[in-house]
Structures are given as structure tokens and as C-alpha cells.
Amino acid sequence: MEPGNSGVSVALIVLLFFVCLDFGAAVDTITASRSIRDPESIISSDNAYKLGFFSPGNSSNRYVGIWYNDASEAVIWVANRNKPLNGASGVVNISDDGRLVVLNEQREVLWSSNVSNSVANVRAQLLDSGNLVLYDNSDRSIWESFDEPTNTFLRRMKLTTNVRTGENVMLTSWKSPSDPSIGSFSAGLNLLNIPQVFTWNNNIPFWRSGQWNGREFIGITNVTSVYLGGFELVENKAEGTASLSFEFAIDSTTYFVLDTEGRLLQNNRVDGKEWQIRQTYPENVCDVYGKCGEFGICSPRSEPICSCLRGFEPKNIEEWSRGNWTSGCVRRTPLQCESKNKTGDAGKEDGFLKFGMVKVPDFAERTTALEDRCRELCLSNCSCIAYAYDAGIGCMSWRDNLTDVQQFYSKGTDFYIRVAHSELDKKDMKVVIIVPVVVGAVVIAISAFFLWRWMAKRKDFGAAIDTFTASRSIKDPETIISSGSAFKLGFFGPGNSLNRYVGILYNDASEAVVWVANRNKPLNDAHGVVTISERTSAPKDRCRVLCLSNCSCIAYAYDSAIGCMSWRDNLTDVQQFCSKGTDFYIRVAHSELDKQDMKVVIIVPVVVATKEKSSLLQREEGSRNFSGENKSKDKLQELSLFDFEKLATATKDFHLINKLGEGGFGPVHRVIYGCSLNLCSY
């Protein structure tokens, strides 16, 4: 090779090297010389995340965002969430003053990174954590997307609060699945006394996690053990700041998202592939903040779910009876310490009632007192109305209202409420009865027998919590609830509709419907029933005998493919067909059998007198109504006179449902001819 050609080759190699170097940097980086245009994108070095342009849901608007680089394409951050691009002409680049900007076709800035000082030679890089970071020429971070999250909380991200400056880093929901602009819900840290995580609906508390005890939030009971210790909450009391982050060693793919309904969803990847919602907060209706009002307690497995704490009674009994518990409860008997301060009357000292396994109320104050001193400190202070102790928090006390108390069925905290001594007499005074050992043994044996009988009777009822059977149906508005309390099956009316449907719903504040049974045939009133028809292998000739021999059997039918079917409870959704169908036999008293064969009467309103309000009824009786055989013309011409009001009643005011047709003399309607010519059995 000639020397001249050798020099050219070296120059080309060097040029290609720098071109490739710049191209390589563009894989996860945006620079002043390399922007991205719709539909271009950049991808993190581990291929986990992608930044580019997208259109959410059914929207035609374009947004710049970060999403998982997998089949789900779950969006975790949006730049121009409040100012969408109207077409596919957007550009993301570095401005002259060192800001990351989103520009439209007219070169207008729709969004920019919040950088106060002008900086040159900056670059934006999408990291393997999903964080988009803006670096200056010294590789110092001057802005990052983790400081301006949208609706998603990722590992290593920090939710922060500063009570002095009021600055917060929090999540904000999308307005809808097709609109990522800021919605009604937000989530973040609340540093009042003891740190908690809150979600707010237009700044009104919607859900809270319970107090942080250094390892977990004590208001959440369903946290899997492998996730305990994964959260880190750093609090600086002197500066009034706190930050929350998480890093689960066993599961690095977890993330949380605040959805449009205000639910905080924990998502995990299943087998390294599909995403699955592992937890939902709020999980049930009792998780909704202050569901039962002040001094009320919510128990998701009780009916009704709200009740007053012992020693308290409803503030508004009429509202409570209607299922509106927001007014809460009031103390039934004044405290002794309050009376003593007012009248000087000592009386009997107040005491405490214990509530085990509860989510303790909001607005707790804490001290460093040990557990054995916690009760004494509260009792000596008349303004203290309740206390609780947690090893990680210390002694907690409450002075004012007790709000957002929930009964748990596992974990939870022992909670002690101050009540007047007379309330202790009603609930906690112990009576000791001394009886001979032999008599005690007899009583125990008898009690055990009746308890066994009672449990046997209750067995079927217990199954009805999440089960209905042929002997136990559900009637509107009854429901059954899954064992984990996540779902319920029952009756509902969607939106503004008056129709009723049977469906499966999330058993939480959203009551989102996931399945509908009678979606094409709604119920017109609140008298629906869900039951199970029973079938046996009995042949057709035995079906009637079996039903008649069982008093609980109220009807039977036979189908060659199904077999013998019988019913025990209500008969719902029965329809008369004009062809095909099944022969259906209903059990009635013998006296009703005499009325059983009254036939259909055809009403032909030949003449309707406007003055006398009368009409003529042409009637044919017996099984030969429509054949016309064996009947004389005189019989066919027999006419009876009826009042207009009776005809209107018998035909439901000549409703179209009873109209058989129309001829030269007018419309023809039908009625069921019953106990007399008054047509009273319609």
C-alpha cells in the first residue's frame, strides 16, 4: 500500500471512531448536538427503560415520557404532562442555557427542566434506575426526574417533605388513563408528630399508612415478610425534614403507582416477565380515611362496618341508621377528671378499655416513656384520652378526637381508651363464681354439647361469607365477600342507571366492577335473587315423587340432558316462551289446584262507550279457546259487559306488553282470567 493511501485510511478510521463514539453516547444520552425527534427514543444501558414520545390510551396527543422497555410499556414519568404536543413533530434537546426542553413544531417550549443557572456543555442521561439525570461538564448532577416524579415511585427514588419550607416531593395521579395531566390524588410523607404516608384527594386525607416505627408502617398488616425492612425513612427533626425510599433485595423490580382512583398499587414482575399487582392501598372500604367518623371504629368483616368505640354512642342516630357514619360518635358518660375539675367531686377514677389489634388513630403524640409508664402518664393527664405503646415508636397518646380507627384481624396494636368508671362496670368488671368441681364439670359438658349443636347449625351460614349454595341464596342488597376481603359479589346499579345487575366488584372504596352476570338482561327493581338450582340423577317419572316427598322443594322440572331439577327458595327469572322451553311444575296448596286450569281470556274491545266507560268482552273458556271446534256460532257471540276501570286494571292500562294485535275494530289485548269475572288474578 502506498504511503498516501495509508494516511487516508488512518484518517477514515479516526473519523469513523468519533462518529461511532458519538452515536454510542446517543443510546442513553441526549446532548446539545444530538436531540431526539418523534418517534426516536433513547434506551438505558441495561435496556430496562426507554425515553421517547407516546400517546396514552385513546388520546391522539403526544407526550415525552419514560416507560419500561418491555411488552407492558408501563409509563413511569411524563415531562410535558400538562402541555401535550398536538402532532408527531416534537423534539427533545438541550437548550443554549443548558436546560432539557420539549419543543413543538413552532419551536415553542412546552416543558423544561428546572435549572436556575445557565450551564454549558450539559448532557441528559437515562440511567439503569429509570432516572433521567442532567449533568454539567463536571459530571455533577444539576437536575433529575426523580426530584419531579409523576405518579410512579421507583426504587432508590425519594419522597421527601420539609415542614419549614413546605417543599415536598410527592406523587400525583393522572387525570385519566388517557390524560397524564395532574389529577385529583396525591401521595407523600406527612411529618406531623410521627411520620406517615398519606394519599390525599384534593388535599383531603384519603388513606394513611399508619405511624412509622423504624421498620414498618404499623397501619399496614398485609406486608409480606420479605418486604419488611426494605423501606428506609430518614428523619431530621432539627431541620424538619424526612425522606422515604425503598430497596427490596429479594425483588428489585417492584414499583408503586398512584392510579386515577387514588389507589397506591404495588406492582411486581412475575417470573421476570409479566407485571402483577401485589398489594392495593386502600385495600378495603375501612382503609378509607375516617370512614366511621370521630370515635368510631371500622371493622371490614362486620355488618354494618361502623360502630362506636365502647363508651361512646352515635352523634346522630338517624344518620347512622341510614349508613351515614361521617358524623361519628360522642362520649356516653363524662370523664371523672373532667367533672372533678368543674365541680370538685372526686368520684371513682377513670379507667381504660383495651382494644386489641387495631390501626391506632391519626394525630398521635409520642414520648420516650417506657411501656409500664405509658398508662400512668396518660391517667395523670386529664387531657389524655387514649394511649398505645409500640417498641419502635415508644409511648403514643391522644388528646383530641380519635379519627380513623380500624379493627385488624392480624398484627395491629393494643389501644387503650379512657372512659368513666361506670363504663368499666358495664364491660370489664369481673364476677367470680365459686361452684363445686362436679357441678362445673357438668356445666362444661352441657355447654360443649350445645356449642357443638350451634356450630353445626352455623356451618352452612359460615360458608355464606364467600359462598352461596342451593339452600342459601343471596337477595338484593346482600353480598358475599372473598376470604381475603378483596372482592365481593352482589347487586349494583351502574352510574345513573336504575337497573340492577349481579356482578363482582373490588371490595374497596372504588367498587370497580370486574364481572357482570346479567349484563344483557338487567333487573328492573331491587328484588333480585341469586341462587343455585339443584339437579339429581333421578329419572323423569321419579322427579315429581322426590320433590313432593321433600317439603323444602317448591318446584321441579326435567330435562333429558340435565336430569331432574328442583328449587328450594325463590323462583326468579321465569319466562313464558312461545316455542320450545321446559315444562315447569310449581308446588301449590290443593285448594289452588281448583283454580289452576283457568285459561287465557282474549279481550276484543269492539265498542268502548265514552260516556258509560264500558267495553265488551268476548270470552272463550276451556282448552278449546282457539280451536273453534265443537262450539256453536251462538257461543262465539256471547258477550259480557265490564267496567272500563276493570279492563284497564286487567290489562295494566292496556299496556303494549299485553297487546296481541290489531284489527278493524281496534287493538286486541290479553289477560289471565282468574277467580271471577273481575279478572282479579291478573
Side-chain angles (χ1 to χ4, degrees), residues 246-276:
F246 72 91
E247 178 80 50
F248 300 134
I250 196 171
D251 190 349
S252 61
T253 63
T254 298
Y255 73 94
F256 296 84
V257 61
L258 181 65
D259 73 3
T260 57
E261 302 296 328
R263 295 174 298 184
L264 200 58
L265 309 177
Q266 179 183 340
N267 293 269
N268 296 79
R269 199 185 291 275
V270 180
D271 298 328
K273 298 178 181 179
E274 297 181 355
W275 290 100
Q276 173 182 291

PDB file of all heavy atoms in Angstrom, residues 246-276:
ATOM      1  N   PHE A 246     -37.096   3.009  49.059  1.00  0.00           N
ATOM      2  CA  PHE A 246     -37.161   1.558  49.278  1.00  0.00           C
ATOM      3  C   PHE A 246     -36.190   0.853  48.347  1.00  0.00           C
ATOM      4  O   PHE A 246     -35.861   1.328  47.263  1.00  0.00           O
ATOM      5  CB  PHE A 246     -38.585   1.025  49.084  1.00  0.00           C
ATOM      6  CG  PHE A 246     -39.056   1.001  47.664  1.00  0.00           C
ATOM      7  CD1 PHE A 246     -38.869  -0.128  46.866  1.00  0.00           C
ATOM      8  CD2 PHE A 246     -39.702   2.096  47.107  1.00  0.00           C
ATOM      9  CE1 PHE A 246     -39.299  -0.156  45.553  1.00  0.00           C
ATOM     10  CE2 PHE A 246     -40.145   2.078  45.793  1.00  0.00           C
ATOM     11  CZ  PHE A 246     -39.939   0.940  45.014  1.00  0.00           C
ATOM     12  N   GLU A 247     -35.750  -0.298  48.791  1.00  0.00           N
ATOM     13  CA  GLU A 247     -34.838  -1.161  48.025  1.00  0.00           C
ATOM     14  C   GLU A 247     -35.043  -2.571  48.548  1.00  0.00           C
ATOM     15  O   GLU A 247     -34.586  -2.920  49.640  1.00  0.00           O
ATOM     16  CB  GLU A 247     -33.390  -0.730  48.213  1.00  0.00           C
ATOM     17  CG  GLU A 247     -32.374  -1.606  47.497  1.00  0.00           C
ATOM     18  CD  GLU A 247     -32.250  -1.280  46.013  1.00  0.00           C
ATOM     19  OE1 GLU A 247     -32.093  -0.092  45.691  1.00  0.00           O
ATOM     20  OE2 GLU A 247     -32.326  -2.212  45.194  1.00  0.00           O
ATOM     21  N   PHE A 248     -35.803  -3.398  47.800  1.00  0.00           N
ATOM     22  CA  PHE A 248     -36.072  -4.760  48.220  1.00  0.00           C
ATOM     23  C   PHE A 248     -35.023  -5.680  47.613  1.00  0.00           C
ATOM     24  O   PHE A 248     -34.982  -5.872  46.392  1.00  0.00           O
ATOM     25  CB  PHE A 248     -37.468  -5.198  47.780  1.00  0.00           C
ATOM     26  CG  PHE A 248     -38.572  -4.345  48.355  1.00  0.00           C
ATOM     27  CD1 PHE A 248     -39.595  -3.884  47.551  1.00  0.00           C
ATOM     28  CD2 PHE A 248     -38.577  -4.001  49.696  1.00  0.00           C
ATOM     29  CE1 PHE A 248     -40.613  -3.105  48.066  1.00  0.00           C
ATOM     30  CE2 PHE A 248     -39.584  -3.221  50.229  1.00  0.00           C
ATOM     31  CZ  PHE A 248     -40.605  -2.771  49.410  1.00  0.00           C
ATOM     32  N   ALA A 249     -34.193  -6.259  48.466  1.00  0.00           N
ATOM     33  CA  ALA A 249     -33.089  -7.095  47.984  1.00  0.00           C
ATOM     34  C   ALA A 249     -33.601  -8.315  47.240  1.00  0.00           C
ATOM     35  O   ALA A 249     -32.999  -8.762  46.253  1.00  0.00           O
ATOM     36  CB  ALA A 249     -32.220  -7.523  49.164  1.00  0.00           C
ATOM     37  N   ILE A 250     -34.751  -8.851  47.665  1.00  0.00           N
ATOM     38  CA  ILE A 250     -35.262 -10.081  47.062  1.00  0.00           C
ATOM     39  C   ILE A 250     -36.026  -9.804  45.774  1.00  0.00           C
ATOM     40  O   ILE A 250     -36.275 -10.699  44.977  1.00  0.00           O
ATOM     41  CB  ILE A 250     -36.165 -10.830  48.071  1.00  0.00           C
ATOM     42  CG1 ILE A 250     -36.372 -12.290  47.617  1.00  0.00           C
ATOM     43  CG2 ILE A 250     -37.501 -10.133  48.251  1.00  0.00           C
ATOM     44  CD1 ILE A 250     -37.057 -13.150  48.641  1.00  0.00           C
ATOM     45  N   ASP A 251     -36.439  -8.551  45.564  1.00  0.00           N
ATOM     46  CA  ASP A 251     -37.247  -8.223  44.392  1.00  0.00           C
ATOM     47  C   ASP A 251     -36.914  -6.799  43.954  1.00  0.00           C
ATOM     48  O   ASP A 251     -37.440  -5.830  44.490  1.00  0.00           O
ATOM     49  CB  ASP A 251     -38.739  -8.351  44.715  1.00  0.00           C
ATOM     50  CG  ASP A 251     -39.602  -8.252  43.467  1.00  0.00           C
ATOM     51  OD1 ASP A 251     -39.068  -7.887  42.406  1.00  0.00           O
ATOM     52  OD2 ASP A 251     -40.807  -8.553  43.546  1.00  0.00           O
ATOM     53  N   SER A 252     -36.033  -6.676  42.980  1.00  0.00           N
ATOM     54  CA  SER A 252     -35.571  -5.358  42.545  1.00  0.00           C
ATOM     55  C   SER A 252     -36.490  -4.725  41.511  1.00  0.00           C
ATOM     56  O   SER A 252     -36.250  -3.608  41.067  1.00  0.00           O
ATOM     57  CB  SER A 252     -34.158  -5.476  41.950  1.00  0.00           C
ATOM     58  OG  SER A 252     -34.163  -6.341  40.823  1.00  0.00           O
ATOM     59  N   THR A 253     -37.561  -5.437  41.118  1.00  0.00           N
ATOM     60  CA  THR A 253     -38.434  -4.917  40.064  1.00  0.00           C
ATOM     61  C   THR A 253     -39.675  -4.215  40.604  1.00  0.00           C
ATOM     62  O   THR A 253     -40.481  -3.709  39.835  1.00  0.00           O
ATOM     63  CB  THR A 253     -38.886  -6.054  39.140  1.00  0.00           C
ATOM     64  OG1 THR A 253     -39.656  -7.004  39.893  1.00  0.00           O
ATOM     65  CG2 THR A 253     -37.685  -6.753  38.517  1.00  0.00           C
ATOM     66  N   THR A 254     -39.848  -4.189  41.914  1.00  0.00           N
ATOM     67  CA  THR A 254     -41.053  -3.595  42.499  1.00  0.00           C
ATOM     68  C   THR A 254     -41.129  -2.100  42.229  1.00  0.00           C
ATOM     69  O   THR A 254     -40.129  -1.392  42.290  1.00  0.00           O
ATOM     70  CB  THR A 254     -41.082  -3.843  44.018  1.00  0.00           C
ATOM     71  OG1 THR A 254     -41.118  -5.248  44.266  1.00  0.00           O
ATOM     72  CG2 THR A 254     -42.301  -3.197  44.666  1.00  0.00           C
ATOM     73  N   TYR A 255     -42.339  -1.638  41.947  1.00  0.00           N
ATOM     74  CA  TYR A 255     -42.575  -0.193  41.906  1.00  0.00           C
ATOM     75  C   TYR A 255     -44.010   0.080  42.347  1.00  0.00           C
ATOM     76  O   TYR A 255     -44.868  -0.812  42.340  1.00  0.00           O
ATOM     77  CB  TYR A 255     -42.301   0.387  40.516  1.00  0.00           C
ATOM     78  CG  TYR A 255     -43.330   0.068  39.454  1.00  0.00           C
ATOM     79  CD1 TYR A 255     -44.385   0.943  39.191  1.00  0.00           C
ATOM     80  CD2 TYR A 255     -43.235  -1.092  38.693  1.00  0.00           C
ATOM     81  CE1 TYR A 255     -45.322   0.658  38.208  1.00  0.00           C
ATOM     82  CE2 TYR A 255     -44.162  -1.369  37.708  1.00  0.00           C
ATOM     83  CZ  TYR A 255     -45.213  -0.496  37.468  1.00  0.00           C
ATOM     84  OH  TYR A 255     -46.144  -0.780  36.502  1.00  0.00           O
ATOM     85  N   PHE A 256     -44.281   1.311  42.767  1.00  0.00           N
ATOM     86  CA  PHE A 256     -45.602   1.720  43.216  1.00  0.00           C
ATOM     87  C   PHE A 256     -46.141   2.780  42.267  1.00  0.00           C
ATOM     88  O   PHE A 256     -45.391   3.651  41.803  1.00  0.00           O
ATOM     89  CB  PHE A 256     -45.543   2.290  44.636  1.00  0.00           C
ATOM     90  CG  PHE A 256     -45.110   1.301  45.686  1.00  0.00           C
ATOM     91  CD1 PHE A 256     -43.759   1.060  45.919  1.00  0.00           C
ATOM     92  CD2 PHE A 256     -46.043   0.620  46.448  1.00  0.00           C
ATOM     93  CE1 PHE A 256     -43.356   0.155  46.880  1.00  0.00           C
ATOM     94  CE2 PHE A 256     -45.647  -0.292  47.412  1.00  0.00           C
ATOM     95  CZ  PHE A 256     -44.297  -0.528  47.634  1.00  0.00           C
ATOM     96  N   VAL A 257     -47.434   2.711  41.997  1.00  0.00           N
ATOM     97  CA  VAL A 257     -48.052   3.712  41.132  1.00  0.00           C
ATOM     98  C   VAL A 257     -49.348   4.194  41.779  1.00  0.00           C
ATOM     99  O   VAL A 257     -50.109   3.406  42.352  1.00  0.00           O
ATOM    100  CB  VAL A 257     -48.326   3.145  39.716  1.00  0.00           C
ATOM    101  CG1 VAL A 257     -49.275   1.959  39.757  1.00  0.00           C
ATOM    102  CG2 VAL A 257     -48.874   4.226  38.801  1.00  0.00           C
ATOM    103  N   LEU A 258     -49.583   5.507  41.738  1.00  0.00           N
ATOM    104  CA  LEU A 258     -50.815   6.108  42.239  1.00  0.00           C
ATOM    105  C   LEU A 258     -51.782   6.221  41.061  1.00  0.00           C
ATOM    106  O   LEU A 258     -51.562   7.022  40.156  1.00  0.00           O
ATOM    107  CB  LEU A 258     -50.527   7.482  42.847  1.00  0.00           C
ATOM    108  CG  LEU A 258     -51.717   8.238  43.435  1.00  0.00           C
ATOM    109  CD1 LEU A 258     -52.296   7.506  44.639  1.00  0.00           C
ATOM    110  CD2 LEU A 258     -51.305   9.660  43.831  1.00  0.00           C
ATOM    111  N   ASP A 259     -52.857   5.403  41.072  1.00  0.00           N
ATOM    112  CA  ASP A 259     -53.734   5.389  39.898  1.00  0.00           C
ATOM    113  C   ASP A 259     -54.760   6.518  39.949  1.00  0.00           C
ATOM    114  O   ASP A 259     -54.820   7.296  40.905  1.00  0.00           O
ATOM    115  CB  ASP A 259     -54.391   4.015  39.729  1.00  0.00           C
ATOM    116  CG  ASP A 259     -55.483   3.728  40.760  1.00  0.00           C
ATOM    117  OD1 ASP A 259     -55.782   4.608  41.587  1.00  0.00           O
ATOM    118  OD2 ASP A 259     -56.044   2.616  40.736  1.00  0.00           O
ATOM    119  N   THR A 260     -55.578   6.602  38.934  1.00  0.00           N
ATOM    120  CA  THR A 260     -56.517   7.717  38.800  1.00  0.00           C
ATOM    121  C   THR A 260     -57.623   7.676  39.839  1.00  0.00           C
ATOM    122  O   THR A 260     -58.321   8.666  40.037  1.00  0.00           O
ATOM    123  CB  THR A 260     -57.154   7.701  37.398  1.00  0.00           C
ATOM    124  OG1 THR A 260     -57.808   6.443  37.175  1.00  0.00           O
ATOM    125  CG2 THR A 260     -56.087   7.912  36.325  1.00  0.00           C
ATOM    126  N   GLU A 261     -57.821   6.527  40.522  1.00  0.00           N
ATOM    127  CA  GLU A 261     -58.840   6.402  41.558  1.00  0.00           C
ATOM    128  C   GLU A 261     -58.272   6.622  42.954  1.00  0.00           C
ATOM    129  O   GLU A 261     -58.983   6.441  43.938  1.00  0.00           O
ATOM    130  CB  GLU A 261     -59.485   5.009  41.486  1.00  0.00           C
ATOM    131  CG  GLU A 261     -60.131   4.693  40.147  1.00  0.00           C
ATOM    132  CD  GLU A 261     -61.292   5.621  39.841  1.00  0.00           C
ATOM    133  OE1 GLU A 261     -61.971   6.043  40.791  1.00  0.00           O
ATOM    134  OE2 GLU A 261     -61.498   5.938  38.657  1.00  0.00           O
ATOM    135  N   GLY A 262     -56.992   6.982  43.046  1.00  0.00           N
ATOM    136  CA  GLY A 262     -56.381   7.247  44.343  1.00  0.00           C
ATOM    137  C   GLY A 262     -55.806   6.032  45.024  1.00  0.00           C
ATOM    138  O   GLY A 262     -55.417   6.104  46.197  1.00  0.00           O
ATOM    139  N   ARG A 263     -55.740   4.914  44.321  1.00  0.00           N
ATOM    140  CA  ARG A 263     -55.182   3.695  44.914  1.00  0.00           C
ATOM    141  C   ARG A 263     -53.676   3.634  44.673  1.00  0.00           C
ATOM    142  O   ARG A 263     -53.214   3.880  43.560  1.00  0.00           O
ATOM    143  CB  ARG A 263     -55.849   2.455  44.331  1.00  0.00           C
ATOM    144  CG  ARG A 263     -57.314   2.321  44.655  1.00  0.00           C
ATOM    145  CD  ARG A 263     -57.951   1.162  43.937  1.00  0.00           C
ATOM    146  NE  ARG A 263     -57.893   1.313  42.490  1.00  0.00           N
ATOM    147  CZ  ARG A 263     -58.455   0.474  41.630  1.00  0.00           C
ATOM    148  NH1 ARG A 263     -59.091  -0.586  42.070  1.00  0.00           N
ATOM    149  NH2 ARG A 263     -58.369   0.680  40.324  1.00  0.00           N
ATOM    150  N   LEU A 264     -52.938   3.301  45.715  1.00  0.00           N
ATOM    151  CA  LEU A 264     -51.499   3.115  45.615  1.00  0.00           C
ATOM    152  C   LEU A 264     -51.262   1.630  45.358  1.00  0.00           C
ATOM    153  O   LEU A 264     -51.507   0.790  46.223  1.00  0.00           O
ATOM    154  CB  LEU A 264     -50.821   3.564  46.912  1.00  0.00           C
ATOM    155  CG  LEU A 264     -49.327   3.884  46.859  1.00  0.00           C
ATOM    156  CD1 LEU A 264     -49.047   4.988  45.841  1.00  0.00           C
ATOM    157  CD2 LEU A 264     -48.831   4.300  48.229  1.00  0.00           C
ATOM    158  N   LEU A 265     -50.795   1.298  44.153  1.00  0.00           N
ATOM    159  CA  LEU A 265     -50.666  -0.093  43.727  1.00  0.00           C
ATOM    160  C   LEU A 265     -49.212  -0.527  43.758  1.00  0.00           C
ATOM    161  O   LEU A 265     -48.346   0.150  43.194  1.00  0.00           O
ATOM    162  CB  LEU A 265     -51.214  -0.266  42.312  1.00  0.00           C
ATOM    163  CG  LEU A 265     -52.620   0.278  42.041  1.00  0.00           C
ATOM    164  CD1 LEU A 265     -52.983   0.085  40.573  1.00  0.00           C
ATOM    165  CD2 LEU A 265     -53.646  -0.383  42.937  1.00  0.00           C
ATOM    166  N   GLN A 266     -48.935  -1.661  44.418  1.00  0.00           N
ATOM    167  CA  GLN A 266     -47.597  -2.236  44.416  1.00  0.00           C
ATOM    168  C   GLN A 266     -47.520  -3.257  43.289  1.00  0.00           C
ATOM    169  O   GLN A 266     -48.247  -4.247  43.269  1.00  0.00           O
ATOM    170  CB  GLN A 266     -47.285  -2.917  45.751  1.00  0.00           C
ATOM    171  CG  GLN A 266     -45.895  -3.557  45.785  1.00  0.00           C
ATOM    172  CD  GLN A 266     -45.615  -4.286  47.086  1.00  0.00           C
ATOM    173  OE1 GLN A 266     -46.256  -4.032  48.098  1.00  0.00           O
ATOM    174  NE2 GLN A 266     -44.664  -5.210  47.052  1.00  0.00           N
ATOM    175  N   ASN A 267     -46.650  -3.022  42.316  1.00  0.00           N
ATOM    176  CA  ASN A 267     -46.509  -3.891  41.148  1.00  0.00           C
ATOM    177  C   ASN A 267     -45.215  -4.696  41.239  1.00  0.00           C
ATOM    178  O   ASN A 267     -44.164  -4.156  41.588  1.00  0.00           O
ATOM    179  CB  ASN A 267     -46.502  -3.066  39.864  1.00  0.00           C
ATOM    180  CG  ASN A 267     -47.833  -2.408  39.602  1.00  0.00           C
ATOM    181  OD1 ASN A 267     -48.696  -2.958  38.941  1.00  0.00           O
ATOM    182  ND2 ASN A 267     -48.027  -1.199  40.134  1.00  0.00           N
ATOM    183  N   ASN A 268     -45.304  -5.965  40.907  1.00  0.00           N
ATOM    184  CA  ASN A 268     -44.141  -6.845  40.893  1.00  0.00           C
ATOM    185  C   ASN A 268     -44.127  -7.643  39.602  1.00  0.00           C
ATOM    186  O   ASN A 268     -45.176  -7.988  39.064  1.00  0.00           O
ATOM    187  CB  ASN A 268     -44.153  -7.805  42.087  1.00  0.00           C
ATOM    188  CG  ASN A 268     -44.053  -7.085  43.407  1.00  0.00           C
ATOM    189  OD1 ASN A 268     -45.045  -6.547  43.903  1.00  0.00           O
ATOM    190  ND2 ASN A 268     -42.875  -7.079  43.993  1.00  0.00           N
ATOM    191  N   ARG A 269     -42.941  -7.950  39.134  1.00  0.00           N
ATOM    192  CA  ARG A 269     -42.817  -8.747  37.923  1.00  0.00           C
ATOM    193  C   ARG A 269     -42.908 -10.232  38.279  1.00  0.00           C
ATOM    194  O   ARG A 269     -42.244 -10.705  39.204  1.00  0.00           O
ATOM    195  CB  ARG A 269     -41.489  -8.454  37.224  1.00  0.00           C
ATOM    196  CG  ARG A 269     -41.474  -8.882  35.759  1.00  0.00           C
ATOM    197  CD  ARG A 269     -40.092  -8.679  35.152  1.00  0.00           C
ATOM    198  NE  ARG A 269     -39.735  -7.293  35.004  1.00  0.00           N
ATOM    199  CZ  ARG A 269     -40.071  -6.545  33.953  1.00  0.00           C
ATOM    200  NH1 ARG A 269     -40.805  -7.055  32.993  1.00  0.00           N
ATOM    201  NH2 ARG A 269     -39.677  -5.288  33.872  1.00  0.00           N
ATOM    202  N   VAL A 270     -43.748 -10.964  37.562  1.00  0.00           N
ATOM    203  CA  VAL A 270     -43.953 -12.389  37.810  1.00  0.00           C
ATOM    204  C   VAL A 270     -43.045 -13.190  36.892  1.00  0.00           C
ATOM    205  O   VAL A 270     -43.120 -13.052  35.665  1.00  0.00           O
ATOM    206  CB  VAL A 270     -45.429 -12.783  37.577  1.00  0.00           C
ATOM    207  CG1 VAL A 270     -45.630 -14.269  37.833  1.00  0.00           C
ATOM    208  CG2 VAL A 270     -46.337 -11.963  38.464  1.00  0.00           C
ATOM    209  N   ASP A 271     -42.200 -14.009  37.498  1.00  0.00           N
ATOM    210  CA  ASP A 271     -41.270 -14.855  36.739  1.00  0.00           C
ATOM    211  C   ASP A 271     -40.430 -14.042  35.764  1.00  0.00           C
ATOM    212  O   ASP A 271     -40.069 -14.521  34.674  1.00  0.00           O
ATOM    213  CB  ASP A 271     -42.033 -15.948  35.979  1.00  0.00           C
ATOM    214  CG  ASP A 271     -42.782 -16.880  36.906  1.00  0.00           C
ATOM    215  OD1 ASP A 271     -42.293 -17.102  38.019  1.00  0.00           O
ATOM    216  OD2 ASP A 271     -43.854 -17.369  36.519  1.00  0.00           O
ATOM    217  N   GLY A 272     -40.132 -12.818  36.135  1.00  0.00           N
ATOM    218  CA  GLY A 272     -39.300 -11.969  35.304  1.00  0.00           C
ATOM    219  C   GLY A 272     -39.961 -11.501  34.029  1.00  0.00           C
ATOM    220  O   GLY A 272     -39.296 -10.958  33.150  1.00  0.00           O
ATOM    221  N   LYS A 273     -41.297 -11.677  33.917  1.00  0.00           N
ATOM    222  CA  LYS A 273     -41.983 -11.332  32.664  1.00  0.00           C
ATOM    223  C   LYS A 273     -43.118 -10.350  32.917  1.00  0.00           C
ATOM    224  O   LYS A 273     -42.928  -9.145  32.915  1.00  0.00           O
ATOM    225  CB  LYS A 273     -42.502 -12.609  31.989  1.00  0.00           C
ATOM    226  CG  LYS A 273     -41.388 -13.582  31.589  1.00  0.00           C
ATOM    227  CD  LYS A 273     -41.968 -14.847  30.962  1.00  0.00           C
ATOM    228  CE  LYS A 273     -40.866 -15.827  30.589  1.00  0.00           C
ATOM    229  NZ  LYS A 273     -41.404 -17.079  30.003  1.00  0.00           N
ATOM    230  N   GLU A 274     -44.320 -10.853  33.148  1.00  0.00           N
ATOM    231  CA  GLU A 274     -45.494 -10.007  33.274  1.00  0.00           C
ATOM    232  C   GLU A 274     -45.531  -9.299  34.627  1.00  0.00           C
ATOM    233  O   GLU A 274     -45.024  -9.798  35.626  1.00  0.00           O
ATOM    234  CB  GLU A 274     -46.768 -10.846  33.096  1.00  0.00           C
ATOM    235  CG  GLU A 274     -46.901 -11.475  31.721  1.00  0.00           C
ATOM    236  CD  GLU A 274     -48.182 -12.272  31.593  1.00  0.00           C
ATOM    237  OE1 GLU A 274     -48.892 -12.405  32.605  1.00  0.00           O
ATOM    238  OE2 GLU A 274     -48.473 -12.744  30.489  1.00  0.00           O
ATOM    239  N   TRP A 275     -46.184  -8.118  34.623  1.00  0.00           N
ATOM    240  CA  TRP A 275     -46.369  -7.365  35.860  1.00  0.00           C
ATOM    241  C   TRP A 275     -47.658  -7.802  36.550  1.00  0.00           C
ATOM    242  O   TRP A 275     -48.649  -8.116  35.898  1.00  0.00           O
ATOM    243  CB  TRP A 275     -46.424  -5.870  35.573  1.00  0.00           C
ATOM    244  CG  TRP A 275     -45.106  -5.291  35.140  1.00  0.00           C
ATOM    245  CD1 TRP A 275     -44.714  -5.009  33.866  1.00  0.00           C
ATOM    246  CD2 TRP A 275     -44.010  -4.940  35.983  1.00  0.00           C
ATOM    247  NE1 TRP A 275     -43.439  -4.501  33.859  1.00  0.00           N
ATOM    248  CE2 TRP A 275     -42.975  -4.443  35.152  1.00  0.00           C
ATOM    249  CE3 TRP A 275     -43.793  -4.990  37.353  1.00  0.00           C
ATOM    250  CZ2 TRP A 275     -41.762  -4.005  35.648  1.00  0.00           C
ATOM    251  CZ3 TRP A 275     -42.567  -4.548  37.855  1.00  0.00           C
ATOM    252  CH2 TRP A 275     -41.584  -4.071  37.011  1.00  0.00           C
ATOM    253  N   GLN A 276     -47.616  -7.794  37.865  1.00  0.00           N
ATOM    254  CA  GLN A 276     -48.777  -8.195  38.654  1.00  0.00           C
ATOM    255  C   GLN A 276     -48.940  -7.242  39.837  1.00  0.00           C
ATOM    256  O   GLN A 276     -47.961  -6.838  40.470  1.00  0.00           O
ATOM    257  CB  GLN A 276     -48.589  -9.627  39.177  1.00  0.00           C
ATOM    258  CG  GLN A 276     -49.665 -10.088  40.151  1.00  0.00           C
ATOM    259  CD  GLN A 276     -49.385 -11.486  40.663  1.00  0.00           C
ATOM    260  OE1 GLN A 276     -49.472 -12.452  39.919  1.00  0.00           O
ATOM    261  NE2 GLN A 276     -49.031 -11.605  41.925  1.00  0.00           N
TER     262      GLN A 276
END
